[in-house]
Amino acid sequence: MSEKLPILYNKKPCYDIVFTQSFDGLWDELQALGCADKRLCIVTDSKVDELYGAAVLNLLEGKCLKAVKYVFPNGEENKTPDTVAGVYRFLIEEGFDRKDLLVALGGGVVGDLTGFAAATYLRGIDFIQVPTTLLSQADSSIGGKTGVDFDGYKNMVGAFKMPRLVYMNLATLSTLDDRQFFSGFAEIMKHGLIKDCIFYEWLIENMYEICERDLNVLQEMLLRSCNVKKLVVEKDPTEQGDRALLNFGHTIGHAIEKYKNFQLYHGECVALGCVAAAYISWKREMISMEEYYEIRDMFVPFNLPISIYDIDPGEIVKLTKSDKKMEAGKIKFILLKKIGKAVIDRTVTEEEILAAVNEINFSEEDAHE
Ligand code: GLY
């Protein structure tokens, strides 16, 4: 069964998130957006193209003015301005104008890059998100953040550009490998922790079905998780204030991601960052020791790491200072006031960050205990 969650912008309906279990309803949604008279370009990567490229192109061909597909090589290393330039060239060759529309079919790299191409081609054309990974369904396809990496800096160049639609076919989750699936789960857990204690408890109760990828349970999970993100991005679309709450776990998480040269998945780093931030919250007596250990141990059944080997904690602390989320030299750290309520804090010290990194650092000593 399909369900819809409308996202408002300036209190007016802006776009719908459709939760469903096949691509069958995609054309109806596009038709409702007036796409019968438009050129449509599916932008996807080589991995997603093999799985779904032909099927989605088939659905569109013959129904709109023109349906074409642009495929770039899979991998974060291709999330660059050069790949965007390839999209521009293709659109120019295919005669795309301002009224036409891009379809981002894939995970976070595809969604962010296509959104950025849409934000900038001819000063902005429409696009829709068709996210195919749990990470992109739970997080990156919603809220209009688009962009590419630049000179090794993640998401350094970008724009806010709202999609016209987010179409989630949850059946795509069945082709993800376990590591990729659980990586996406970290952002879902984060949504419960920062804003919705009842949802957090629901995740614990439904742990088995989630790990088994029961599609109906995943649909309810995503609906509830996206509802948290909806409430945050509607209130603060361009991150002037509370949208920063979504960065819970990301300050230390991003630092670990960089330190490990992107060998760990984003969600794995976010899980480690959430444990570290919960640890600081406990040490500041904002949450209890029991709550801290419960949060930490909750990541384990979802195959997410709660400790890490082979790191230099001092280097991780240094890297937290180069995070984009700095403001006037101060780190905007997100802490938990309680489970289901996060707060922005600008007073977290280097010593506190170091203690938190030491907490998640699995040392030789731990090994011998
Ligand atoms: N992923 C955080 C945000 O969308 O603001």
Side-chain angles (χ1 to χ4, degrees), residues 185 189 192-193 196-205 207 248 271 274-275 278-279 282 287-302 304-306 336 338-340 359:
F185 184 79
M189 181 83 160
L193 286 170
D196 190 344
C197 155
I198 295 174
F199 177 49
Y200 167 80
E201 280 158 14
W202 182 92
L203 291 172
I204 299 177
E205 280 156 25
M207 182 186 293
F248 178 66
C274 287
V275 175
Y279 177 81
W282 164 37
I287 60 171
S288 68
M289 180 177 79
E290 289 74 22
E291 284 173 321
Y292 164 65
Y293 282 114
E294 184 190 290
I295 293 169
R296 189 192 71 167
D297 295 344
M298 252 305 288
F299 287 103
V300 177
F302 296 101
L304 287 162
I306 56 171
L336 291 181
K338 56 182 185 184
I339 294 181
E359 168 74 5

Side-chain angles (χ1 to χ4, degrees), residues 68-138:
V68 289
K69 186 172 65 162
Y70 182 80
V71 184
F72 65 89
N74 168 262
E76 176 81 28
E77 66 279 14
N78 298 308
K79 191 179 167 183
T80 60
D82 280 352
T83 307
V84 178
V87 178
Y88 297 149
R89 278 185 207 107
F90 184 74
L91 296 177
I92 293 166
E93 278 161 23
E94 295 289 342
F96 273 61
D97 68 31
R98 271 223 184 102
K99 294 185 308 312
D100 298 330
L101 179 138
L102 306 186
V103 176
L105 173 69
V109 170
V110 169
D112 286 7
L113 185 141
T114 308
F116 184 60
T120 45
Y121 182 71
L122 293 174
R123 299 200 181 90
I125 64 169
D126 285 342
F127 84 114
I128 69 158
Q129 292 270 18
V130 185
T132 57
T133 62
L134 191 56
L135 194 80
S136 55
Q137 292 177 353

Side-chain angles (χ1 to χ4, degrees), residues 139-140 142-143 145 187 190 229 233 239 243 246-247 250:
D139 187 29
S140 59
I142 301 149
K145 278 190 181 175
E187 299 284 0
K190 177 198 81 180
K229 183 144 188 189
V233 299
E239 202 165 315
R243 183 163 178 167
L246 295 172
N247 297 329
H250 283 62

Side-chain angles (χ1 to χ4, degrees), residues 250-295:
H250 283 62
T251 302
I252 292 177
H254 276 156
I256 294 172
E257 211 171 355
K258 247 191 236 166
Y259 181 87
K260 287 284 184 185
N261 235 335
F262 300 95
Q263 294 310 302
L264 288 181
Y265 284 16
H266 178 68
E268 293 168 346
C269 299
V270 169
L272 289 163
C274 287
V275 175
Y279 177 81
I280 300 176
S281 310
W282 164 37
K283 289 293 152 184
R284 287 189 166 201
E285 298 183 357
M286 297 163 78
I287 60 171
S288 68
M289 180 177 79
E290 289 74 22
E291 284 173 321
Y292 164 65
Y293 282 114
E294 184 190 290
I295 293 169

